[in-house]
Amino acid sequence: MNVVGRRRRYVLWGLVLLGVWSIVALLNSLQWYMGGLAAGQGPTWPQLLGYAVASNSIWFLLTPLVVAFAHLTPFRPRGGLRFFLVHLMAAVGFALLQTALYIGLMWLLGAQALGRMLVQKLSGNFQINLLIYAIIVALVVGANAYRALRDREVAGARMEARLAEAESAALRAQLQPHFLFNTLNAISALVEDEPRRARRLIAKLGDLLRLSIEDHRAPQSAFGDELDFTEAYLAIEQARLGPRLRVVRDVEPDALTCLVPTLLLQPLVENAIRHGIAPLVEGGTVTIAAKVAGGQLHVTVVDDGKGAADIVERVGLGNARRRLRQLYGDRHSLEVVTAPRAGFRVTLVTPL
């Protein structure tokens, strides 16, 4: 905090203290006045207000000193007795100081019978001064405890955010080798028999690596960019599978600008091709659909391939589910439906 900010803070706290002690002085004067009326005697209310203002203005001046002393001698769980004894002696000292300053102020204002006034202050107000000191110290201890709790919560939240970021980076790093391994295997199979097609695949793989490096640092990217990345992958697979792979795209323009986890769409399409289409001699069709509805992005990847009796979540789906949970918590859904010879349907819904 700079000098100007610190000065404004001190001025604000000074105004707050002035308001608090002014209210206390007003209440004290009213209480004394009502007590005098009940007894049928006593000074007038303006006189009592003057006494109350004089008494509480001294506490207004002493409060910063009490707060500073409370900060210098904070409460420690293992030093409770020492804390109590130190502040008991300090409370007596501040109570005596307040009484002495009050009598001195009354002397400057020309008050009479200062000796009787001193006896009344010590006998009637001393314990109140002790209570005022205890209340101020209790407020400081409570504020320090609240600040410490808030700092721990902020530190914990930052730690969780760093952990989630690290896990997300690790998962992204895990996705890229997973894809590269499959692509290099495909290229290796074509090198001897179809070298021209192998060179085209290498060129497409270069495009994929470039796009991957550009998006490497971003945990989220536009769905349009994810679709471009997936199209480069589809070009490789269509070159490898030929007419056995057919692709249908049904993407609404509004969906292209929506943010989704980076490298999420391509593994879903890769699963559809690798486990659904590629095992079939006749091949099949993969449909990629996306739309915005109800304030959410709906993405569907469907294939009419091999399908399965049970859903087994391997690297692709497992990583996708973990990344979605990290980014959106419970505000998303990822549903997978499959049946033998009916392919897979993966439906993803994320908040905008």
Side-chain angles (χ1 to χ4, degrees):
M1 184 180 295
N2 55 31
V3 176
V4 176
R6 192 179 297 113
R7 187 175 301 168
R8 287 179 179 174
R9 182 181 177 185
Y10 290 152
V11 171
L12 177 62
W13 275 111
L15 293 175
V16 170
L17 286 179
L18 180 62
V20 169
W21 285 114
S22 297
I23 293 173
V24 174
L26 181 62
L27 294 176
N28 281 346
S29 64
L30 290 174
Q31 181 185 12
W32 295 341
Y33 180 67
M34 296 302 293
L37 288 180
Q41 56 183 358
T44 62
W45 181 72
Q47 289 177 311
L48 294 172
L49 179 60
Y51 295 147
V53 168
S55 177
N56 288 286
S57 63
I58 295 172
W59 268 119
F60 166 71
L61 296 175
L62 291 179
T63 297
L65 297 178
V66 177
V67 171
F69 184 73
H71 280 300
L72 290 175
T73 55
F75 175 76
R76 307 288 186 195
R78 294 184 178 180
L81 180 60
R82 179 179 178 277
F83 175 84
F84 174 77
L85 293 176
V86 167
H87 282 283
L88 178 60
M89 292 186 290
V92 173
F94 273 99
L96 292 175
L97 179 61
Q98 195 275 344
T99 301
L101 292 175
Y102 178 78
I103 296 301
L105 180 61
M106 290 297 102
W107 178 75
L108 290 175
L109 295 176
Q112 302 297 320
L114 293 178
R116 189 180 66 182
M117 189 179 296
L118 176 61
V119 173
Q120 290 177 343
K121 286 288 292 181
L122 291 176
S123 61
N125 292 86
F126 189 75
Q127 67 276 17
I128 295 177
N129 288 336
L130 295 179
L131 181 62
I132 291 173
Y133 177 89
I135 291 174
I136 296 173
V137 172
L139 290 175
V140 172
V141 171
N144 287 340
Y146 171 75
R147 190 180 299 113
L149 177 63
R150 186 190 60 187
D151 291 345
R152 283 197 296 270
E153 290 178 347
V154 171
R158 288 176 178 170
M159 185 71 72
E160 290 180 0
R162 292 193 192 102
L163 179 61
E165 186 178 352
E167 289 180 352
S168 180
L171 291 174
R172 290 203 310 272
Q174 190 178 9
L175 283 172
Q176 294 174 15
H178 177 66
F179 167 74
L180 288 174
F181 178 77
N182 292 336
T183 305
L184 289 175
N185 274 343
I187 294 174
S188 176
L190 294 173
V191 166
E192 293 186 1
D193 298 333
E194 301 182 65
R196 187 171 299 176
R197 180 177 291 182
R199 284 196 295 271
R200 286 202 301 270
L201 289 179
I202 292 173
K204 290 295 181 183
L205 179 60
D207 292 340
L208 280 177
L209 291 176
R210 178 179 54 80
L211 292 171
S212 176
I213 292 172
E214 288 176 354
D215 294 338
H216 184 70
R217 294 180 182 277
Q220 289 180 289
S221 59
F223 183 77
D225 294 337
E226 286 298 296
L227 195 59
D228 290 342
F229 182 82
T230 305
E231 291 290 355
Y233 165 76
L234 284 172
I236 293 176
E237 293 292 20
Q238 284 184 311
R240 189 170 66 91
L241 298 176
R244 294 173 55 212
L245 174 61
R246 297 171 291 279
V247 180
V248 175
R249 302 163 183 84
D250 182 15
V251 178
E252 295 183 354
D254 292 345
L256 295 176
T257 57
C258 296
L259 292 179
V260 294
T262 302
L263 292 177
L264 182 70
L265 179 63
Q266 183 273 329
L268 300 181
V269 175
E270 180 182 348
N271 276 346
I273 296 173
R274 182 184 179 194
H275 302 294
I277 306 299
L280 300 180
V281 176
E282 69 275 20
T285 302
V286 174
T287 301
I288 303 172
K291 64 179 181 180
V292 175
Q296 295 174 311
L297 174 65
H298 298 252
V299 178
T300 307
V301 178
V302 185
D303 70 80
D304 57 358
K306 183 180 177 181
D310 299 318
I311 298 172
V312 179
E313 295 192 2
R314 295 185 176 88
V315 175
L317 278 176
N319 282 345
R321 197 177 294 282
R322 284 194 291 273
R323 296 181 64 199
L324 288 167
R325 192 181 304 117
Q326 289 175 358
L327 283 172
Y328 307 117
D330 297 330
R331 298 179 297 119
H332 80 279
S333 67
L334 177 64
E335 296 180 353
V336 183
V337 178
T338 184
R341 304 297 298 180
F344 280 82
R345 171 184 290 270
V346 180
T347 303
L348 168 66
V349 180
T350 61
L352 297 182

